[in-house]
Amino acid sequence: LVAAVFAMQPAVAEELTLDTSKSLQTLEAELVALSAPRGVEAAALGAVTFLRAIEVTLQERYRTNAAVGDDFLFFPIPVVRLPVPPNPNPAPFEPQLFANMFKGVADDMTKARAALDAADLASDDKLIIDVAALWFDVDGNGSRGTGEGILDFIGTTLSGMPPSQGGQVEAAREGAIIHFDAADVEWLAAYTHLLSAVSEVVLAFDPTDVITDIVNSRRAMVEIRGSQQTDGSFWFGPGDEVWIDAFATVSGALNRRPEQARIAVARDHFLGMIDRNRAFWRLVGAETDNTFEWIPNGSQVAALGFRFPANTGTVWQGVLADAEAVLKGELLVPHWRTYPGGGVNVAALVADPPAFDIVTWVQ
């Protein structure tokens, strides 16, 4: 009788407040050490492992001044496009830094996804996070410095938001409590698949040798020129080396046949991203509350102050369906010289990926 009575009682929701006064490295170590983590603790480990992976990339770039100052090598892709302040005493830049960095991201996304999958949150379970208190230890000194708040980086990614909503994000810097729930676990799992896919593409084209050539040639040209400045009679002048070297790096890295196995794995991760994103929209669409939302449905408001149109979930499901059809070769990517009669078959590219010479692809 007692067992029957207890079985009839509603389950008590699990809650966990993330201690954002601690560094991500400390939080990750503490969560990994748990012998039998609860669902919310597994969700916390997945979230912290994800953020810690990004933090490590920022630290590596800061350590060598990669992507800032004289060693600017800009790749407009996730993670690397985040801003890093200049390091007054950098270590020598290493051409293999980017490949090593994305190998680490790929490994960490696998770990984060495993923890998120183990969470198995009920609808009322929640991980409580003050997003404004989260921070990346970019300089690795163990304490939060100016510009190291996660909202400083989110503000960069949301720079295209309407001014009113951008202002709300700015206001949230003083404190933004969110309840990270089952729907958000699916959202983050989808994001881990995205970063895994990007990592596999970077590693498939491994830019290390191209970066080595660019760095060596740049040093040689600086040595030849010496301390003299150009006389301004050329199309390009001082300062233009930054974006020219960046373009040469991207162009050179793409203009070779990538490793087909990694391209196929990247495609699978993109498909995984679509599956988990569908699960997110299904779960978030069923929510009826409106409290401390991270990503809202059409009738909710995010903790950071922004709203989505009421039909966002429906429209996004259509986007996901098209993306899946493109990855499977059921829809073609339009090309300006063949549209509307034909286009590029992504499935064929995955099966036998060619070199991606930028000029030839435009032609």
Side-chain angles (χ1 to χ4, degrees):
L1 286 173
V2 172
V5 169
F6 276 108
M8 295 171 62
Q9 302 304 310
V12 177
E14 289 188 351
E15 291 186 8
L16 174 66
T17 299
L18 197 67
D19 187 353
T20 47
S21 66
K22 299 177 180 178
S23 69
L24 292 171
Q25 186 175 13
T26 299
L27 283 172
E28 184 180 36
E30 291 178 351
L31 290 165
V32 167
L34 295 175
S35 58
R38 297 180 294 148
V40 287
E41 290 168 334
L45 176 58
V48 169
T49 300
F50 176 89
L51 292 173
R52 173 65 179 150
I54 296 175
E55 180 181 68
V56 170
T57 69
L58 296 172
Q59 291 173 340
E60 282 299 290
R61 290 169 55 211
Y62 178 81
R63 182 177 64 84
T64 63
N65 260 352
V68 291
D70 293 337
D71 283 319
F72 187 100
L73 288 170
F74 179 70
F75 294 81
I77 56 178
V79 177
V80 180
R81 69 191 183 96
L82 294 175
V84 176
N87 184 343
N89 299 296
F93 175 75
E94 303 139 357
Q96 70 273 22
L97 179 141
F98 285 104
N100 290 343
M101 200 165 63
F102 278 102
K103 287 176 184 174
V105 170
D107 291 340
D108 289 337
M109 290 304 105
T110 299
K111 296 175 185 176
R113 204 159 41 246
L116 293 171
D117 290 342
D120 193 24
L121 297 186
S123 59
D124 292 333
D125 296 342
K126 50 184 169 287
L127 173 64
I128 302 170
I129 307 172
D130 183 355
V131 179
L134 283 171
W135 52 286
F136 290 129
D137 188 12
V138 178
D139 57 13
N141 68 354
S143 61
R144 179 172 177 167
T146 303
E148 290 187 330
I150 280 182
L151 284 185
D152 294 316
F153 295 88
I154 292 178
T156 299
T157 63
L158 298 181
S159 59
M161 291 178 65
S164 60
Q165 295 190 2
Q168 290 168 330
V169 172
E170 286 296 317
R173 291 177 190 273
E174 297 301 319
I177 303 298
I178 67 163
H179 289 176
F180 196 83
D181 56 23
D184 300 318
V185 164
E186 294 298 320
W187 171 85
L188 186 56
Y191 217 118
T192 66
H193 276 296
L194 171 63
L195 294 190
S196 292
V198 170
S199 299
E200 292 295 337
V201 171
V202 171
L203 295 172
F205 287 96
D206 192 350
T208 301
D209 59 336
V210 176
I211 295 175
T212 300
D213 289 343
I214 296 291
V215 170
N216 290 340
S217 64
R218 182 172 59 194
R219 288 172 179 163
M221 287 183 283
V222 168
E223 183 178 348
I224 291 170
R225 188 180 67 196
S227 60
Q228 302 180 77
Q229 295 296 319
T230 59
D231 59 10
S233 61
F234 299 94
W235 285 356
F236 305 112
D240 290 332
E241 314 93 344
V242 172
W243 67 268
I244 291 175
D245 286 352
F247 179 83
T249 301
V250 174
S251 177
L254 292 177
N255 194 14
R256 88 270 297 283
R257 288 178 64 86
E259 185 180 336
Q260 192 276 334
R262 287 194 179 276
I263 294 295
V265 172
R267 183 268 321 276
D268 292 343
H269 278 300
F270 281 126
L271 290 171
M273 175 191 70
I274 291 170
D275 287 342
R276 302 305 286 263
N277 207 240
R278 281 179 172 145
F280 161 73
W281 284 109
R282 183 177 66 254
L283 290 172
V284 79
E287 293 181 356
T288 57
D289 65 328
N290 186 23
T291 54
F292 305 106
E293 306 299 332
W294 174 234
I295 306 294
N297 63 30
S299 61
Q300 296 172 323
V301 180
L304 293 185
F306 60 86
R307 293 178 179 268
F308 286 147
N311 65 337
T312 298
T314 301
V315 172
W316 198 249
Q317 292 286 8
V319 172
L320 295 174
D322 279 356
E324 182 180 51
V326 165
L327 290 167
K328 292 181 176 180
E330 297 163 359
L331 282 179
L332 304 180
V333 179
H335 187 278
W336 71 283
R337 297 187 70 168
T338 61
Y339 183 81
V344 179
N345 188 321
V346 171
L349 293 180
V350 172
D352 185 21
F356 283 77
D357 176 68
I358 295 174
V359 174
T360 301
W361 270 89
V362 172
Q363 186 272 332

